[in-house]
Amino acid sequence: MTGPTEIPVIDLAGLTAGGEERSRTMAQLHEACKDWGFFWVENHGVDAALMDEVKRFVYAHYEEHLEARFHASDLAKNLPAGGGDEEPSDKVDWESTYFIQHRPRNNAADFPEITPPTRETLDAYIAQMVSLAERLGECMGLNLGLPAGHVAATFAPPFVGTKFAMYPPCPRPGRVWGLRAHTDAGGIILLLQDDAVGGLEFLRGGAEWVPVGPTRGGRLFVNIGDQIEVISGGAYRSVVHRVAAGSEGRRLSVATFYNPGPDAVVAPATRGDATALAYPGPYRFGDYLEYYQGTKFGDKDARFQAVKRLLG
């Protein structure tokens, strides 16, 4: 059982158990998607040694290539002064990030400082993450009463990429967010994150900010993006989240995005339902993404309605 702010933890071993245990796990996944939009998974099939190798790479890469550059940046040097009752800046994010695309094209070779052995490690890690995302997408579709393979077919060919982020200690954490509040544009987001430093927060029910906290026990964190909300006709909702800046410690975040390909056509799976009709579609995901870039930190429902007028 979970308390009012205790994020669901789903043991995915139940999916392969069959019978009553599989049914119970599918029901837990459905409730987590419907009532929360975010959850932890364990026994997820991603090798713990690979996860540790990826985290070691991110720390070492940041220290060698990014840390000095971040502290020499205009953001670090010109961090807004003040405090007290002033709101954090809505213009910048206190983070050091880069993005690697894995599918359908892999651009890791564009980062010459990443050695071939490390690229092989990343490839092995991503293969397991994609397998997990595909399994979750299939289960979500079945829980929504959709035909087998519906989510995978909608996404095909999927775009898979990873945002590698470090949130350094901030001298004035009340003046800036680590990352401003937003929903994710895509489909299923799988997060390998820090096991010591927190900061990630999700807005539940439009009123309660729920801290995610550091990782425990080799779990991965999952949240739903805008496209799953559209496909589900609102049964599953993407959730606003943010990262608070902290004055102590640095937070690691490795977020892998399993998204529709840019030419994939997205629409609510059930057009006759009144709720589903409120959503945009059919539209090309690449067009949605282009509109999202300028509205990422704005109101999601307003974005959906604008996309409905412009594209749907």
Side-chain angles (χ1 to χ4, degrees):
M1 297 294 290
T2 60
T5 58
E6 187 178 348
I7 299 169
V9 180
I10 301 174
D11 185 348
L12 297 184
L15 295 177
T16 58
E20 186 176 322
E21 189 170 350
R22 175 178 168 83
S23 297
R24 182 165 57 249
T25 305
M26 290 286 283
Q28 290 171 346
L29 177 63
H30 178 62
E31 291 302 311
C33 291
K34 180 171 64 74
D35 294 340
W36 291 76
F38 54 98
F39 49 91
W40 292 102
V41 291
E42 56 189 17
N43 291 316
H44 41 64
V46 181
D47 185 74
L50 272 179
M51 293 164 62
D52 287 340
E53 284 188 61
V54 170
K55 287 194 284 187
R56 281 195 295 271
F57 154 70
V58 177
Y59 281 124
H61 184 267
Y62 172 73
E63 290 166 1
E64 185 173 354
H65 299 282
L66 302 174
E67 187 171 20
R69 187 189 313 168
F70 177 83
H71 289 293
S73 68
D74 290 341
L75 169 61
K77 291 189 295 185
N78 301 320
L79 181 64
D85 294 332
E86 293 182 59
E87 290 294 320
S89 170
D90 61 355
K91 304 296 183 185
V92 294
D93 302 304
W94 187 263
E95 60 176 3
S96 172
T97 72
Y98 54 100
F99 192 90
I100 295 179
Q101 177 180 332
H102 312 292
R103 311 258 173 102
R105 172 182 172 268
N106 190 320
N107 72 345
D110 295 344
F111 297 80
E113 73 276 15
I114 301 178
T115 65
T118 299
R119 288 182 219 154
E120 291 179 8
T121 296
L122 291 174
D123 287 347
Y125 170 76
I126 291 302
Q128 294 185 12
M129 293 290 270
V130 169
S131 178
L132 171 59
E134 290 173 341
R135 186 158 44 130
L136 288 171
E138 179 68 0
C139 291
M140 289 177 190
L142 293 174
N143 274 334
L144 290 166
L146 305 178
H150 181 90
V151 172
T154 298
F155 280 35
F159 175 93
V160 181
T162 298
K163 176 185 175 181
F164 298 83
M166 194 71 72
Y167 297 89
C170 182
R172 289 190 289 275
R175 296 301 299 122
V176 67
W177 291 108
L179 179 59
R180 288 162 286 167
H182 66 287
T183 64
D184 292 320
I188 297 171
I189 299 85
L190 305 175
L191 177 64
L192 172 66
Q193 67 147 20
D194 208 285
D195 58 6
V197 180
L200 179 62
E201 302 172 342
F202 273 72
L203 184 63
R204 189 181 184 215
E208 178 189 16
W209 284 104
V210 179
V212 172
T215 298
R216 292 184 296 169
R219 294 169 178 168
L220 289 168
F221 188 78
V222 182
N223 70 277
I224 289 169
D226 291 353
Q227 304 317 302
I228 292 294
E229 177 167 344
V230 171
I231 290 171
S232 74
Y236 297 166
R237 294 184 181 272
S238 61
V239 181
V240 174
H241 53 286
R242 66 190 183 191
V243 177
S247 60
E248 297 182 7
R250 57 184 183 181
R251 176 179 174 268
L252 171 148
S253 170
V254 183
T256 297
F257 297 83
Y258 177 74
N259 291 350
D263 292 323
V265 176
V266 180
T270 307
R271 297 295 300 174
D273 179 83
T275 303
L277 285 170
Y279 283 89
Y283 56 79
R284 179 179 167 274
F285 176 62
D287 295 330
Y288 180 93
L289 194 58
E290 182 177 349
Y291 186 80
Y292 170 89
Q293 299 302 334
T295 62
K296 175 177 179 176
F297 299 111
D299 180 74
K300 176 188 63 175
D301 292 332
R303 179 165 65 244
F304 280 154
Q305 292 311 305
V307 169
K308 187 177 176 69
R309 292 191 302 271
L310 292 171
L311 306 176

